[in-house]
Amino acid sequence: MGPRRVGSVIRLRPEHEATYRRLHADVWPDVLAQIARSNIRNYTIFLRDGILFSYYEYVGTDLDADLAAMATDPRTREWWALTDPCQQPVETAAEGEWWAPTEEVFHTD
């Protein structure tokens, strides 16, 4: 079995697009290291019409635990303090959900 593919969406606040782009043009090495420690590979964020679409491949065995570890990492929390104000959940996000998960409907290798 290959990696688990994960996609999600969130809105980008238009007044923060330049900031968001600038931050992601130079992501902190500590944040990138935590992503790798959390067994996330091929992490990509796309932007279209004010919607951010993120995609990554999860290669670990416990996604919830790895995401929880990421959420407690101090440098990642600092990073999120800068990026979160740039974002807004989509209207269909569940209560308390930030990035809303998407459903994979097609894949080919």
Side-chain angles (χ1 to χ4, degrees), residues 71-108:
T72 62
D73 176 64
R75 285 294 279 169
T76 299
R77 294 180 65 78
E78 287 179 47
W79 177 258
W80 289 346
L82 298 174
T83 60
D84 283 4
C86 301
Q87 303 165 342
Q88 177 181 353
V90 295
E91 295 79 12
T92 56
E95 182 70 29
E97 197 169 55
W98 196 246
W99 284 83
T102 60
E103 176 186 359
E104 183 176 310
V105 296
F106 177 77
H107 174 80
T108 185

Side-chain angles (χ1 to χ4, degrees), residues 12-34:
L12 178 62
R13 295 177 188 272
E15 67 274 19
H16 293 291
E17 182 176 340
T19 298
Y20 196 81
R21 286 180 180 273
R22 186 175 56 253
L23 286 167
H24 286 84
D26 191 24
V27 179
W28 302 343
D30 294 343
V31 171
L32 296 174
Q34 180 59 56

